[in-house]
Amino acid sequence: MSLNTDIMDNLVATVDYYNHRISTPTWHISEDQIDFVDISYVVNGQAEYIINAKRYTVTAGDLICIPVGSRRQAVTNPNSLVELYSINGQMRDLNGNNVTLPFPIVSSIGLHKDIIALYTELNTVWRLRDPGYLMRARAIYLMLLQRFFQLIVL
């Protein structure tokens, strides 16, 4: 087994925050140090992120993976409003140890119908908040992460 397979097979992820963001011209994230992992998938428009003092311009098809403890800020391009799906939470192994995902800060993975379908399902689960919704949200998140591993690491 490779290290990457070990990480995938033993990953426990929480969904502490989820949002399908369709930005306004003034949308921004103020600079702050985050105590969670931020995974965001850009499906339209453009934004500029500054992560640990490095500038990234992201567009449709980009996956942003911001590790816990990072300093982050962002702003949309007012002429090309960003639309993205964001999940914030913790990444741990089965023993409760923090896990760092083997993803770059920004990966150009392209737009994928199967990924957007999973986010659409997550959106429904998150809005309805039926009993057990957090368990279902975590399950969908793990399916998303497995797909990202396929596209980026494997």
Side-chain angles (χ1 to χ4, degrees), residues 1-35:
M1 245 189 224
S2 72
L3 173 64
N4 294 330
T5 304
D6 287 344
I7 290 172
M8 278 192 319
D9 291 342
N10 296 303
L11 188 63
V12 177
T14 65
V15 180
D16 301 329
Y17 170 83
Y18 162 78
N19 192 13
H20 175 200
R21 163 102 34 225
I22 301 172
S23 69
T24 63
T26 59
W27 174 81
H28 70 283
I29 298 172
S30 298
E31 183 179 4
D32 199 11
Q33 183 169 351
I34 60 172
D35 60 357

Side-chain angles (χ1 to χ4, degrees), residues 14-20 39 41 85-88 114-130 132-145 148:
T14 65
V15 180
D16 301 329
Y17 170 83
Y18 162 78
N19 192 13
H20 175 200
I39 303 278
Y41 183 53
Y85 296 97
S86 291
I87 300 172
N88 298 164
D114 61 326
I115 292 173
I116 293 170
L118 286 168
Y119 275 113
T120 300
E121 184 178 357
L122 178 56
N123 198 61
T124 301
V125 167
W126 197 258
R127 286 173 164 246
L128 291 177
R129 295 183 183 251
D130 287 336
Y133 83 97
L134 282 174
M135 180 174 32
R136 181 104 185 246
R138 284 193 309 270
I140 296 166
Y141 190 26
L142 286 174
M143 289 189 289
L144 285 162
L145 290 168
F148 298 148

Side-chain angles (χ1 to χ4, degrees), residues 53-97:
K54 185 171 179 189
R55 201 172 294 271
Y56 300 87
T57 300
V58 296
T59 59
D62 285 346
L63 182 73
I64 308 160
C65 178
I66 308 173
V68 66
S70 296
R71 292 201 67 79
R72 135 197 109 153
Q73 68 185 86
V75 62
T76 191
N77 177 337
N79 299 314
S80 183
L81 299 178
V82 73
E83 176 183 357
L84 50 78
Y85 296 97
S86 291
I87 300 172
N88 298 164
Q90 302 301 317
M91 299 285 169
R92 296 196 172 90
D93 64 19
L94 294 174
N95 296 318
N97 301 309

Side-chain angles (χ1 to χ4, degrees), residues 92-106:
R92 296 196 172 90
D93 64 19
L94 294 174
N95 296 318
N97 301 309
N98 287 333
V99 169
T100 300
L101 294 173
F103 300 161
I105 299 288
V106 175

